[in-house]
């Protein structure tokens, strides 16, 4: 009886339209600022407020909000001309098979062992990024490498800053498949993995990595949401209400996050991402202890 009353109280709290919009706004601002989508914030909130909802529905709600966040952020970043569309489209296409598979198996697998291992990985990666020395990849400049097999891109943003960098597209394809598979299982978007991968493994400048990650997320999250629709995870009217009001907040917050990304130095974004990674890992581990 006590548990039932707590669930009702938590749900009544989340029924507050302004609160839902405020949560969405916070998710959109931070998610867009670091290019991570914001699902790593929303999923723990949903788990706390709605312990009665099955994991498939929680991840479905989160991925719908990630899709809105990514789309809004992409529009803002496109205006700033900081998206590498050529690389982003390739990587996005490679996330789609994994994202569809991730949704389909979500109902049939026990994620306990997988998420525990993934949570530990997030903590280690967060610590690595937080304590790693800044290599000067955050601003305009050249990160060019003439090694065979690398693709070199040059991009000039709206403010006239020119970036030149080289990356291995095959590594990018592989990372994208993994991101696409993991994202719908955990409901965290995938940018939280994609951004550090773009920066430290593919040598993208930080601000272009966050912008391009949002473009990739918009495409991947859309494919994930379509799969959730086919599986009937949005059929409940209450679930749709949560999605709508959270989406209103997240769309506005994404615009603020994109604006702040121009004001904050790249290494600060990476530090914020590192802390976020560690928090995700801790949340996942404690959820399964």
């Amino acid at each position: 009886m006590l548990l039932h009353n707590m669930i009702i109280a938590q749900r009544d709290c989340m029924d507050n339209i302004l609160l839902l919009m405020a949560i969405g706004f916070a998710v959109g601002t931070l998610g867009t600022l670091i290019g991570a989508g914001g699902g790593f914030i929303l999923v723990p909130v949903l788990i706390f407020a709605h312990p009665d909802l099955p994991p498939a529905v929680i991840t479905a709600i989160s991925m719908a909000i990630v899709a809105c966040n990514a789309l809004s952020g992409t529009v803002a970043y496109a205006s700033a001309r900081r998206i590498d569309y050529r690389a982003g489209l390739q990587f996005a296409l490679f996330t789609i098979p994994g994202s569809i598979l991730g949704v389909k198996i979500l109902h049939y697998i026990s994620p306990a062992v997988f998420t525990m291992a993934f949570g530990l990985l997030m903590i280690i990666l967060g610590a690595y990024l937080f304590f790693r020395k800044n290599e000067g990849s955050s601003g305009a400049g050249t990160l060019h490498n003439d090694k065979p097999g690398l693709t070199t891109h040059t991009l000039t943003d709206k403010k006239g800053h020119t970036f030149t960098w080289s990356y291995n597209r095959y590594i990018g394809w592989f990372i994208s498949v993994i991101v696409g598979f993991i994202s719908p299982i955990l409901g965290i978007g995938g940018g939280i993995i994609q951004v550090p991968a773009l920066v430290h493994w593919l040598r993208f400048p930080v601000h272009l990595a966050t912008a391009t990650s949002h473009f990739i997320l918009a495409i991947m999250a859309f494919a994930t949401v379509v799969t959730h629709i086919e599986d009937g995870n949005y059929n409940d009217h209450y679930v749709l209400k949560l999605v709508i009001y959270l989406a209103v907040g997240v769309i506005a917050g994404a615009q603020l996050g994109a604006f702040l990304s121009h004001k904050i130095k790249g290494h600060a974004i990476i530090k914020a991402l590192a802390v976020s990674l560690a928090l995700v890992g801790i949340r996942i581990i404690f959820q399964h202890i």
Side-chain angles (χ1 to χ4, degrees):
M1 185 66 181
L2 178 60
L3 177 61
H4 177 71
N5 290 337
M6 289 177 62
I7 291 174
I8 291 176
Q10 291 166 355
R11 173 165 284 194
D12 288 343
C13 184
M14 283 293 284
D15 277 341
N16 187 302
I17 294 175
L18 292 179
L19 177 60
L20 286 170
M21 290 182 178
I23 292 171
F25 188 83
V27 168
T29 300
L30 183 57
T32 302
L33 177 62
I34 64 177
F40 67 93
I41 305 170
L42 184 58
V43 169
V45 172
L46 291 172
I47 290 172
F48 170 76
H50 298 281
D52 54 322
L53 290 179
V57 174
I58 288 178
T59 56
I61 294 171
S62 178
M63 291 308 297
I65 300 309
V66 167
C68 293
N69 185 16
L71 181 60
S72 179
T74 295
V75 171
Y77 282 129
S79 176
R81 299 175 189 169
R82 287 192 165 185
I83 299 174
D84 182 347
Y85 292 103
R86 184 168 52 170
L89 185 58
Q90 291 181 49
F91 298 159
L93 291 176
F94 275 87
T95 67
I96 293 175
S99 66
I100 294 174
L101 180 61
V103 173
K104 291 300 183 183
I105 69 173
L106 187 59
H107 299 282
Y108 306 104
I109 66 172
S110 172
V113 175
F114 173 76
T115 51
M116 284 288 287
F118 186 69
L120 181 60
L121 176 63
M122 292 295 95
I123 294 174
I124 293 172
L125 183 57
Y128 168 74
L129 291 176
F130 189 86
F131 294 106
R132 181 187 177 104
K133 292 182 179 179
N134 180 34
E135 297 180 349
S137 62
S138 60
T142 299
L143 296 171
H144 181 55
N145 194 317
D146 293 324
K147 291 182 179 179
L150 297 183
T151 300
T152 299
H153 284 189
T154 297
L155 185 151
T156 301
D157 68 11
K158 190 174 182 179
K159 293 186 176 182
H161 300 144
T162 298
F163 304 83
T164 300
W165 70 103
S166 302
Y167 65 93
N168 188 318
R169 64 179 181 275
Y170 301 110
I171 295 177
W173 295 350
F174 175 76
I175 293 169
S176 297
V177 172
I178 301 300
V179 168
F181 177 72
I182 290 174
S183 295
I185 293 177
L186 299 179
I188 60 172
I192 207 162
I193 306 170
Q194 191 96 48
V195 173
L198 288 173
V199 173
H200 292 291
W201 298 338
L202 300 183
R203 305 294 296 158
F204 274 61
V206 172
H207 289 104
L208 301 192
T210 55
T212 303
S213 173
H214 248 62
F215 175 66
I216 296 169
L217 278 177
I219 298 174
M220 183 206 70
F222 177 78
T224 303
V225 168
V226 169
T227 308
H228 275 298
I229 291 173
E230 292 177 349
D231 286 357
N233 292 328
Y234 299 110
N235 288 347
D236 187 287
H237 290 296
Y238 181 75
V239 171
L240 283 178
K241 186 179 79 168
L242 287 177
V243 170
I244 290 171
Y245 292 132
L246 286 168
V248 171
V250 87
I251 290 171
Q255 297 300 310
L256 176 60
F259 172 77
L260 292 176
S261 73
H262 304 302
K263 309 296 182 181
I264 300 176
K265 294 182 179 180
H267 71 272
I269 295 176
I270 288 298
K271 295 295 184 184
L273 179 58
V275 173
S276 301
L277 284 168
L279 290 175
V280 169
I282 292 170
R283 191 273 296 178
I284 291 171
I285 289 176
F286 274 93
Q287 179 186 344
H288 290 87
I289 290 179

